[in-house]
Amino acid sequence: MNYQIQTLNAISPAIYTQLGEHYHVSDSAGQPDAILVRSASMHDMPLAPSVLSIARAGAGTNNIPIDACTQAGVCVFNTPGANANAVCEMVLAAMLLSCRDIVGGVEWARGLKGQGDGIEKAVEKGKKAFVGPELRGKTLGVIGLGAIGVLVANAAVALGMNVIGYDPMISVEHAWKLAQSVRHENSLDELFAACDFITVHVPMTDKTRGMIGRRALSLCKKGVRIINYARGGLVDEAALLEALADGRVAAYVTDFPSDALLGAKGVICTPHLGASTPESEENCAVMAADQLREVQLTAHRGASTSAPENTMPAMEAAVDQMADFAELDVQETRDGALVLFHDSTLERIDGTRRTIRSLSWDELQQVDAGGWYSEQYSGTRIPKLEDVIEYVRGRMMLNIEIKYAGASSDLPEKVVDCIRENDFVEQCVVTSTSLSYLKRVKAADSDIYTGYILSAAYGSYYEDDAIDFISL
């Protein structure tokens, strides 16, 4: 099975290697299975019915219509942390730019060209106009201690700064990575009042929009320097310009230029360079590719997206795409063959109400199990369990669901015999909606890992010895 991937921005070439030969990546895919996007806005873009997932090569998803995707059943994912180091380095540069007037000094020095021997004297006389404080010993407030915020906090500690962090939702993983000297503050008001520098690293939501506004700025130390490499709308620009004018804010450095900010005294705008490094772009592409490949394998809308479910083409697609696990359903024919089929009758594929148990293996081989899915799979046959086991051996695990065939059926024991005869105990789990079937599986071989498929219709059996795990 080949997948069509549409790109809306230039993506690192690493995407091609990471995805492999079964993925065709193009900026003009007509009916894409997935979309790869960096900064392009998708809000006014019609979403093709073929799209199963959207991969955002970056941390935020503001450029993607999340509500519309949710309604359409389209999976949206981002690549948090892939560009963290790149953004962290820009934040450190921004703090340095906010102290001494490096930008103004460079421009002023460029104007000295042509003065010859007088340049040295001019430099010594004019440099005082660009003086500013050092970072060491100053206090930095980090709002948001995710992948980027933690790196910034730790780097600032290494530079000799006192660091205060704020993040009521900090994860255990990020908390473990945070330097011990970082002080965790539970109140934003206290952070604003205590810091010489403030850097913000939170997503843009209705709650965070304009979070650094008039009230917040009124609490800040006089001469505070604010860094924003997260999202432009997190800072209220009108309130910020007022605070710059009255000296409450000494400098504002942002990666999000606007007409109001450009040219304003005390403001330095960079052209969205936070993640603009080849390393960052490659990291984002690799992470997006990995997630996209996983989603394309597992996403479904009522049936397999790769091939007709419970067939050899479906198993082949899963193996080709390096899936770790495949789920299949086992039933028994009239003459005792263990075969893979989900439904209780053949109505979905051939329009009849015949059951698997009413047919012999030879009769079942006359049934087309793939033509209903697409013309490509016309002629696909229902396979035996033993044939699938042999094909996937050493390649992936199987979740073998035993379909209920009545209390008198010896199907559970036959499945166990098949697993044991094919030396497959270590490579499978057995599941069922029937607790009695699982008890019989355990009685036949206690080493087989079993899972109860939980349903309100069957009740809950969390503590039964026949169950190793619950499947929802």
Side-chain angles (χ1 to χ4, degrees), residues 363-400:
E363 290 171 334
L364 197 61
Q365 288 307 285
Q366 307 307 310
V367 175
D368 181 354
W372 61 274
Y373 183 84
S374 76
E375 186 177 346
Q376 175 186 355
Y377 295 103
S378 180
T380 297
R381 303 306 172 193
I382 294 172
K384 287 184 176 180
L385 173 61
E386 60 196 68
D387 294 333
V388 171
I389 286 177
E390 185 58 35
Y391 178 74
V392 305
R393 186 184 306 281
R395 295 174 169 181
M396 65 179 177
M397 297 280 291
L398 288 181
N399 173 0
I400 302 171

Side-chain angles (χ1 to χ4, degrees), residues 135-157:
L135 298 181
R136 180 177 292 276
K138 304 303 187 299
T139 299
L140 169 67
V142 182
I143 302 174
L145 294 169
I148 297 171
V150 167
L151 287 181
V152 170
N154 291 346
V157 169

